[in-house]
Amino acid sequence: MSDTPFGFGLPPEEPENGDEGKKKDPAGGGQGSGGQGGGNPFGANPFGFGGLPGMGGPGGADNPFAAMFGSLNPNDLGAAFQQLGQMLSYEGGPVNWDMAKQIARQVVAQGTPDGTKDASVGPAEKAAVEEAVRLADLWLDGVTSLPSGASTSVAWSRAEWVEATLPAWQQLVDPVAERVGSAMGDVLPEEMQAMAGPLIGMMRSMGGAMFGQQIGQAVGALAGEVVGSTDVGLPLGPAGKAALLPLNIESFGKDLGVPKDEVRLYLALREAAHQRLFAHVPWLRSHLFGAVEGYARGIKVDTSKLEEAVGQLDPTHPEQLQEALQQGMFQPEDTPEQKAALARLETALALVEGWVDAVVHEAAKSRLTSADALRETLRRRRASGGPAEQTFATLIGLELRPRRLRDASRLWASLTDARGVDGRDDLWQHPDMLPTASDLDDPDGFVHREHLDFSELDKMLGEAARGDGDDEGKDDGAK
């Protein structure tokens, strides 16, 4: 994670070998609009003027505007005010997603802390990913009744991952950000709210921009950690597209002592297994995202922290409000409904990740000598999360982490032994057929319990409906 997170600091130019096509965000621009020049206007102190070049000189602390105008050349000054104008003039939803994308791409361009820079994916790496996904799907055919869910396989750069996954992040983050936007107006005294329309509008614009910066920072950092499109247990990429990031796979496997081809193939198995689940369980995506949204509705904003930031709001120091966001203002409501929402979400994530873990292990254990070691590494990785995941936990008050992954994996393996592959996978027909949190405590009880066959129930209901229609027709004829 950068030492200057969430700010307006404009990073260096994107590397010459960056993502395909060397895309440039229009708002980001090149060197003249905020590249790494001698006068990066907001690089060290996001939002505030205190960190501007020249601020340490005589008079800097007492007269920030004099220091600013004295140290910036016209191009840098124009870029600074252009971004300030973008912040204040934003009139969209609760998050400025254009800014989020711009910041995320800038973070990617800066590279990861280990010095690894993003790079375009070459033909050889693309071919290796395509072959790994093809072989993974072939292996998975023997361990699950769900057919392949990947119509295509792609190898992404980090910047391409950012572009492809932002729509999913928007669906996850907007519900929480909307609550913050509303809270920004609510913290003003009621008698002032009628007169403070412009101020509330400005605050919401700033809130949208600040959320955009922080989400962009976190997405950009996460792009340096993930190895595919389903790392957090949610389908972040386009449907039917199995995606791997060769650069991050290389970093992931660097110190494992496992051949690169085996690492790539094991991760391809996980990506392909996720794709099968999300493609052939049509209700699963909306179930997971709905669980996140349901949890978000119960989150309360720490208005005391927000009131303090708003009360001290200074147009030249809006970083005070930003710092409140960084420190986290979200707390779950201590209500039965909120606890139930959290339990549903955690159980759903655990069931998805547990099924993938069990299926991939079954496919790999007799074929890859490193299967056990890679399985344990991935389990620990998902259990602990990285810096970017921790940032999202701060921002939206939620950790997208399968806390009961091992329990769920054991339950799915037991189901396979007791009912076979078809009997196990049939449970994905309907959400009411899946194990609950209490079932993870008593897997044997769930495995040997009789379960209602929803396909037979649907058939019975259909026949009953047709029978009612026939009877009604006979009655009409009798009349």
Side-chain angles (χ1 to χ4, degrees):
M1 192 69 73
S2 169
D3 292 333
T4 59
F6 313 126
F8 278 121
L10 301 181
E13 281 282 353
E14 295 186 15
E16 291 185 1
N17 63 341
D19 61 307
E20 287 190 323
K22 307 181 184 67
K23 303 170 187 172
K24 302 282 187 181
D25 191 288
Q31 194 76 8
S33 61
Q36 188 180 21
N40 185 348
F42 292 106
N45 185 359
F47 289 98
F49 294 138
L52 289 167
M55 293 306 288
D62 297 328
N63 191 346
F65 288 99
M68 178 180 68
F69 282 97
S71 63
L72 298 180
N73 63 49
N75 286 338
D76 291 325
L77 184 61
F81 279 105
Q82 181 181 14
Q83 283 212 319
L84 187 60
Q86 288 175 356
M87 179 181 74
L88 296 177
S89 63
Y90 174 69
E91 296 180 350
V95 178
N96 187 331
W97 286 102
D98 290 337
M99 183 171 288
K101 180 169 75 170
Q102 177 183 342
I103 296 295
R105 289 177 60 85
Q106 291 170 351
V107 171
V108 166
Q110 289 173 336
T112 50
D114 64 0
T116 305
K117 296 285 188 179
D118 194 21
S120 298
V121 181
E125 291 170 318
K126 290 181 180 178
V129 167
E130 290 173 359
E131 175 60 20
V133 173
R134 186 196 66 77
L135 184 57
D137 259 336
L138 185 63
W139 289 3
L140 289 172
D141 282 340
V143 296
T144 175
S145 62
L146 300 179
S148 174
S151 55
T152 58
S153 55
V154 293
W156 281 339
S157 67
R158 293 167 178 169
E160 288 170 325
W161 181 90
V162 168
E163 296 277 350
T165 62
L166 271 180
W169 291 121
Q170 182 172 356
Q171 190 174 349
L172 286 169
V173 174
D174 271 352
V176 179
E178 183 67 48
R179 295 184 65 81
V180 178
S182 300
M184 282 182 163
D186 295 341
V187 297
L188 291 175
E190 188 173 345
E191 61 273 13
M192 289 183 58
Q193 291 188 19
M195 300 184 297
L199 176 60
I200 293 175
M202 183 187 76
M203 289 166 58
R204 288 183 174 172
S205 294
M206 292 173 62
M210 286 185 284
F211 249 110
Q213 289 177 72
Q214 295 186 63
I215 293 298
Q217 180 77 27
V219 169
L222 196 57
E225 301 173 7
V226 296
V227 294
S229 71
T230 54
D231 276 30
V232 297
L234 298 171
L236 298 178
K241 185 171 288 188
L244 295 176
L245 283 72
L247 183 61
N248 291 355
I249 291 176
E250 185 172 352
S251 297
F252 170 78
K254 185 168 55 177
D255 300 321
L256 296 180
V258 177
K260 182 178 177 180
D261 289 347
E262 285 199 21
V263 174
R264 184 194 302 113
L265 183 51
Y266 193 86
L267 296 175
L269 281 165
R270 288 183 55 82
E271 177 74 11
H274 277 103
Q275 293 294 336
R276 287 181 182 232
L277 201 54
F278 290 121
H280 299 292
V281 182
W283 52 265
L284 183 56
R285 178 187 173 92
S286 60
H287 179 74
L288 286 169
F289 280 79
V292 173
E293 187 173 349
Y295 179 81
R297 281 197 300 269
I299 289 175
K300 64 181 179 181
V301 178
D302 186 348
T303 53
S304 63
K305 194 175 291 186
L306 187 58
E307 284 174 2
E308 182 181 354
V310 172
Q312 299 175 358
L313 188 60
D314 182 334
T316 64
H317 294 88
E319 73 274 8
Q320 293 161 349
L321 189 56
Q322 178 215 12
E323 288 169 0
L325 285 173
Q326 279 184 248
Q327 294 166 8
M329 294 186 296
F330 314 115
Q331 301 171 353
E333 293 277 9
D334 188 19
T335 63
E337 293 79 11
Q338 180 68 348
K339 291 176 180 177
L342 179 59
R344 283 195 300 271
L345 177 58
E346 289 184 340
T347 301
L349 286 172
L351 290 174
V352 168
E353 292 294 274
W355 183 88
V356 169
D357 180 80
V359 166
V360 167
H361 182 68
E362 188 65 25
K365 66 181 181 181
S366 62
R367 296 181 173 101
L368 297 178
T369 57
S370 58
D372 288 336
L374 289 169
R375 182 190 202 187
E376 187 60 28
T377 300
L378 266 297
R379 281 179 165 186
R380 292 179 179 178
R381 189 175 191 253
R382 281 297 281 129
S384 61
E389 284 192 58
Q390 293 164 13
T391 298
F392 278 111
T394 300
L395 285 173
I396 66 175
L398 176 64
E399 293 179 346
L400 296 173
R401 200 169 297 165
R403 298 184 183 279
R404 307 196 63 181
L405 166 60
R406 293 176 188 271
D407 294 336
S409 182
R410 280 194 293 269
L411 187 147
W412 288 118
S414 297
L415 281 167
T416 307
D417 294 338
R419 305 185 187 184
V421 168
D422 290 344
R424 177 200 66 201
D425 292 346
D426 281 348
L427 293 179
W428 290 105
Q429 291 179 27
H430 193 279
D432 290 344
M433 296 178 68
L434 290 178
T436 63
S438 60
D439 292 325
L440 295 180
D441 297 326
D442 181 23
D444 289 337
F446 180 84
V447 167
H448 299 292
R449 189 185 311 155
E450 290 295 327
H451 293 277
L452 180 63
D453 187 338
F454 275 75
S455 62
E456 288 299 318
L457 178 62
D458 289 341
K459 182 179 178 181
M460 291 168 57
L461 290 174
E463 290 175 350
R466 288 194 297 274
D468 289 345
D470 294 342
D471 291 342
E472 184 178 342
K474 292 175 182 177
D475 291 344
D476 289 342
K479 291 177 182 177

